[in-house]
Amino acid sequence: MAEKKTGPVLKDVKNELVFTKKNYQLLLISIAIVAVGFILMMGTTGDIYDFRRTLLAPLVVLAGFAFGIYAILKK
């Protein structure tokens, strides 16, 4: 007599997202901070060695990336 095969047992699976709404909001803020940093780096003056282009803008970009890492790791 042939054995009757059953399908996989369906468990009660919650349909939860990995990130919450707050995580996505923080990620969008971090993307905006990085964009502001790149806009500052672009500059409008002709001086390439300006304080804003060489020091301020890269620090803003790094802060944006750090904030993005925080947004991902926040529970």
Side-chain angles (χ1 to χ4, degrees), residues 17-73:
L17 297 175
V18 176
F19 297 127
T20 62
K21 182 180 177 182
K22 186 71 172 177
N23 291 98
Y24 287 115
Q25 290 172 344
L26 292 175
L27 277 171
L28 287 175
I29 292 170
S30 72
I31 291 170
I33 292 171
V34 170
V36 167
F38 278 112
I39 290 170
L40 286 174
M41 205 177 298
M42 197 169 53
T44 57
T45 61
D47 187 18
I48 196 162
Y49 298 111
D50 191 18
F51 165 77
R52 184 178 65 193
R53 283 185 175 182
T54 59
L55 186 66
L56 182 64
L59 287 177
V60 171
V61 171
L62 286 175
F65 285 137
F67 192 73
I69 291 170
Y70 167 75
I72 290 171
L73 295 178

